[in-house]
Amino acid sequence: MEIKQAEFTTSAVLRSQYPTDNRVEIAFVGRSNVGKSSLINTLTNRRKLVKVSGTPGKTKLVNFFLINNEFYFVDLPGYGYAKVSKVEKESWGKVIETYLLKREQLKKIVLLVDCRHKPTEDDIIMYKWIKYYNYDTVVVATKIDKLKKSEIQRNLKVIKDTLGLQQDDQLLTFSSLKKLGKEELLQVMEETLTEAKD
C-alpha cells in the first residue's frame, strides 16, 4: 500500500465529536515518548503531519487523520508519563477507553512499545484492554536502530513474554529514523482494509 494523501481531520474527546462517515479506522497507541508521532509521519511520508513534541504526554485528544480519502489513522493519547498528575492520567485513560468502547469502525490497533525496554505495567494494561474489547492488534517495537542486531531478537522475546502475546498477534519492528519496518506495517494495514471490505 502506498499512502499518497494524508490530512488532519479533527480532534475529539467525546464520542459525539468522532467522524460519522463510517470509514475504517486504524488506531495507534503507546506510552509517551515511544515514537508514535514519528511513526505516523514516516508511514504517511509527511514530516509534520503529526506534531512531534519535545514534551512527552502532550497529546490529550483523539486525533483523526484521513488517509488516501479512504480510511482514518487515529492517534490516541500517549500514556504513562511520570510528570503528570494522577487526575490527568485518569482523564487520558477515560479518553482512550471511551474511544475503544464499541467503536465499530476500528479494525486494527497498532500498539507501540520501545524495543529497548521491557514493556511497562501501562503497556500490559493497554494490551489487556485491546484484548478485552476484542480488537485485532499488531505490536510494533520501535527504535530498533538504537539496538545491535544481536540484541533485537532477545528483546523481542522479552516483549512477547511480558505482554503475553497470543499466537494470532503480530509483532513487528520499526525505526522511523531509518524507515525500517515501514513496508511490513503498511502491508498489515492493507490486509486489514481488504478484510474490512469483504
Side-chain angles (χ1 to χ4, degrees):
M1 177 172 73
E2 189 182 352
I3 293 180
K4 294 179 178 175
Q5 177 261 351
E7 61 187 61
F8 169 74
T9 308
T10 190
S11 292
V13 176
L14 308 170
R15 294 180 73 83
S16 59
Q17 298 167 322
Y18 298 165
T20 55
D21 53 14
N22 283 328
R23 285 181 167 98
V24 168
E25 293 171 6
I26 296 172
F28 298 81
V29 69
R31 63 191 186 80
S32 299
N33 219 13
V34 75
K36 188 156 49 76
S37 302
S38 299
L39 179 140
I40 295 172
N41 288 341
T42 300
L43 291 179
T44 56
N45 300 310
R46 295 272 301 276
R47 283 174 59 198
K48 295 181 181 174
L49 180 70
V50 187
K51 289 191 180 80
V52 179
S53 172
T55 311
K58 271 286 201 204
T59 308
K60 299 173 189 175
L61 305 166
V62 179
N63 293 312
F64 292 83
F65 300 89
L66 183 60
I67 307 297
N68 288 349
N69 213 23
E70 184 186 355
F71 64 98
Y72 287 105
F73 276 174
V74 185
D75 184 15
L76 296 174
Y79 54 77
Y81 185 48
K83 291 184 183 174
V84 167
S85 72
K86 193 174 175 210
V87 173
E88 206 163 357
K89 274 186 187 172
E90 284 171 2
S91 78
W92 293 352
K94 286 195 183 104
V95 168
I96 295 171
E97 193 167 22
T98 298
Y99 174 74
L100 292 178
L101 192 68
K102 297 177 183 167
R103 185 66 179 161
E104 287 178 14
Q105 294 92 323
L106 177 56
K107 300 301 180 189
K108 178 80 78 178
I109 296 179
V110 183
L111 173 60
L112 276 61
V113 294
D114 189 326
C115 72
R116 299 169 298 174
H117 309 296
K118 183 177 176 181
T120 64
E121 192 59 41
D122 287 322
D123 291 325
I124 296 166
I125 290 167
M126 192 69 241
Y127 175 75
K128 285 181 176 171
W129 259 9
I130 292 166
K131 286 298 167 188
Y132 177 79
Y133 288 116
N134 213 22
Y135 289 116
D136 283 336
T137 186
V138 53
V139 178
V140 176
T142 62
K143 308 189 182 186
I144 59 157
D145 53 279
K146 310 259 195 255
L147 289 178
K148 293 178 186 148
K149 279 192 177 161
S150 58
E151 295 172 319
I152 292 173
Q153 287 310 316
R154 189 177 67 225
N155 287 24
L156 290 178
K157 185 177 187 314
V158 170
I159 290 167
K160 268 185 193 171
D161 294 347
T162 306
L163 292 178
L165 292 191
Q166 296 170 11
Q167 273 201 318
D168 56 344
D169 288 336
Q170 293 167 296
L171 176 60
L172 302 180
T173 55
F174 200 91
S175 164
S176 296
L177 192 68
K178 298 192 175 174
K179 296 186 170 45
L180 299 171
K182 178 181 173 181
E183 296 308 319
E184 290 83 350
L185 185 51
L186 286 171
Q187 178 64 36
V188 167
M189 291 174 179
E190 188 164 20
E191 288 163 10
T192 298
L193 293 171
T194 303
E195 284 167 20
K197 285 174 190 165
D198 291 346

